[in-house]
Amino acid sequence: MKNFPLIGLGIATKGSSGNTLDTFFPCISFKNIEDEFSQYYEIWDSLMSENVAEIKDAASLNIQDEGLNTAISNLNENKIIVLCRIIENQPIQTIEEAYLKLHLISYKYFAPNSLNLENLFDSLLNVAWTNQGPIELGDIDKRILSAQKNNQSLEIKSVDKFPCLTDYIIPPGVRIGDASRVRLGAYLSEGTTVMHEGFVNFNAGTLGPAMIEGRISAGVVIGKNSDLGGGCSTMGTLSGGNDIKISIGENCLLGANSGLGIPLGDNCIIEAGLYITGGSKITKYNSNNEPESVIKASELAGCNNLLFIRNSQTGAIEAKINPKSVELNEELHKN
């Protein structure tokens, strides 16, 4: 993992109102780190009087990479070069910083829940995401009319504050069945497969090879070799008053249409259709497979080797010692 301070070199899109709609950061420079772009930190830092600076002359960046120089030259009239500096992990102050922090997670420079994302929603604008880039909502009707008149293709993919990850970053070694279901700010490790009905929110993701056919909500991390079955859901921290960070350990399985509202340890299974919240009453079994006590699910948070099932006769939720080990198909996750 990287650390602060850092400077991102970005290409920002400006709307007709002058507002910044988004910022793409193709490279990030870290102070006191030896890598391809961090050699530029002191040069870029000297060009900035504030933490966001508009760069009029690309040559002043002193970039030696020919491909990057070409990319930031001769930009369209609604595009500008910006530098965004983050010195400390403080609440977000600008839309450029918001996009930079989302990039930092998706580049896997910082793990989910490690960056201060306070003010993120207030900083981002709700825009129309199209095949022609982001468009301000006040301009969308005019742009649709113009596209129709000129027989142009204008595809509106979503109206949202968050774009999809793959408009900016293609994570290595990852398969994504439907790119619209993975937001910028998702953290996807090599070997991860996100199926067509899978969803990964920002500030969330996988820590190793994983099969995702269900929902990974904001703030949720999934351990390596775990499988989220079709239609399953993990409870996030953005709604419902939930302030507990949900996580799933290694070698776990959430069955189809199941749900999780507590952190799981390693080697755990939740049967299909079973939704567990922190207040769920659970009959805990001992190693002899005998009922031991009735407790709240929250008391089992982070415990390893548990099998959660619902008794088909009584309807009671039971937690037993898990006799199985979850294994992903190795060939399927060589991406």
Side-chain angles (χ1 to χ4, degrees):
M1 295 295 167
K2 307 285 189 177
N3 212 330
F4 302 105
L6 57 89
I7 297 174
L9 170 63
I11 301 173
T13 306
K14 290 289 187 177
S16 61
S17 67
N19 290 325
T20 298
L21 306 184
D22 79 333
T23 308
F24 167 51
F25 289 95
C27 62
I28 297 170
S29 180
F30 296 85
K31 187 175 183 179
N32 300 324
I33 292 180
E34 295 184 5
D35 61 25
E36 181 182 5
F37 296 115
S38 292
Q39 60 179 310
Y40 302 120
Y41 182 88
E42 298 299 337
I43 297 172
W44 295 353
D45 187 59
S46 68
L47 301 175
M48 308 181 71
S49 58
E50 298 182 347
N51 286 334
V52 176
E54 182 176 334
I55 304 300
K56 301 291 187 181
D57 180 13
S60 66
L61 297 169
N62 199 33
I63 296 172
Q64 306 303 312
D65 184 281
E66 184 177 346
L68 183 57
N69 264 323
T70 301
I72 62 175
S73 300
N74 301 315
L75 297 174
N76 290 341
E77 60 180 12
N78 68 330
K79 301 284 188 178
I80 63 169
I81 304 171
V82 297
L83 292 175
C84 181
R85 177 176 56 202
I86 303 179
I87 299 174
E88 296 180 313
N89 195 16
Q90 298 295 320
I92 294 168
Q93 300 297 320
T94 64
I95 190 170
E96 292 84 1
E97 182 184 349
Y99 271 90
L100 179 52
K101 285 190 172 181
L102 293 174
H103 277 71
L104 289 170
I105 298 171
S106 288
Y107 279 133
K108 297 193 289 291
Y109 292 146
F110 290 82
N113 302 314
S114 65
L115 293 180
N116 188 335
L117 298 181
E118 186 179 346
N119 301 331
L120 177 63
F121 280 87
D122 288 339
S123 299
L124 298 177
L125 295 180
N126 194 33
V127 302
W129 299 101
T130 79
N131 62 326
Q132 297 182 13
I135 299 175
E136 281 187 293
L137 296 185
D139 291 336
I140 193 63
D141 288 341
K142 182 171 58 178
R143 293 288 292 272
I144 292 173
L145 182 61
S146 175
Q148 293 288 343
K149 175 183 176 181
N150 296 300
N151 199 28
Q152 295 176 338
S153 171
L154 178 60
E155 176 190 354
I156 301 173
K157 298 183 287 186
S158 66
V159 178
D160 195 6
K161 291 193 171 191
F162 292 83
C164 69
L165 169 67
T166 54
D167 283 350
Y168 302 84
I169 297 170
I170 305 295
V174 168
R175 290 171 56 204
I176 301 174
D178 184 348
S180 69
R181 297 180 62 82
V182 181
R183 278 175 155 178
L184 179 64
Y187 184 108
L188 298 181
S189 295
E190 290 194 28
T192 294
T193 296
V194 184
M195 297 297 286
H196 290 76
E197 294 304 315
F199 174 82
V200 187
N201 212 336
F202 73 95
N203 196 34
T206 61
L207 304 181
M211 169 59 80
I212 309 301
E213 298 180 86
R215 178 184 178 87
I216 305 179
S217 299
V220 177
V221 291
I222 311 298
K224 66 180 181 180
N225 300 321
S226 288
D227 186 338
L228 271 61
C232 77
S233 177
T234 54
M235 189 179 295
T237 57
L238 296 178
S239 60
N242 184 35
D243 58 0
I244 296 174
K245 290 288 191 299
I246 306 302
S247 61
I248 296 175
E250 299 179 1
N251 307 305
C252 291
L253 170 64
L254 268 64
N257 298 315
S258 63
L260 180 66
I262 64 170
L264 279 188
D266 297 335
N267 200 43
C268 292
I269 295 176
I270 299 179
E271 77 164 7
L274 176 59
Y275 204 119
I276 296 174
T277 65
S280 298
K281 295 296 179 63
I282 295 182
T283 302
K284 185 175 181 293
Y285 281 67
N286 58 29
S287 57
N288 296 320
N289 203 29
E290 298 170 339
E292 187 176 74
S293 58
V294 176
I295 59 176
K296 287 185 176 182
S298 58
E299 297 182 49
L300 297 174
C303 292
N304 300 325
N305 305 307
L306 291 178
L307 169 63
F308 294 90
I309 59 175
R310 187 181 292 279
N311 188 300
S312 60
Q313 293 182 313
T314 67
I317 304 174
E318 300 173 343
K320 299 183 177 182
I321 302 300
N322 182 21
K324 301 179 180 180
S325 178
V326 175
E327 295 183 8
L328 296 178
N329 184 318
E330 188 173 338
E331 290 186 4
L332 186 66
H333 294 274
K334 281 185 179 179
N335 297 333

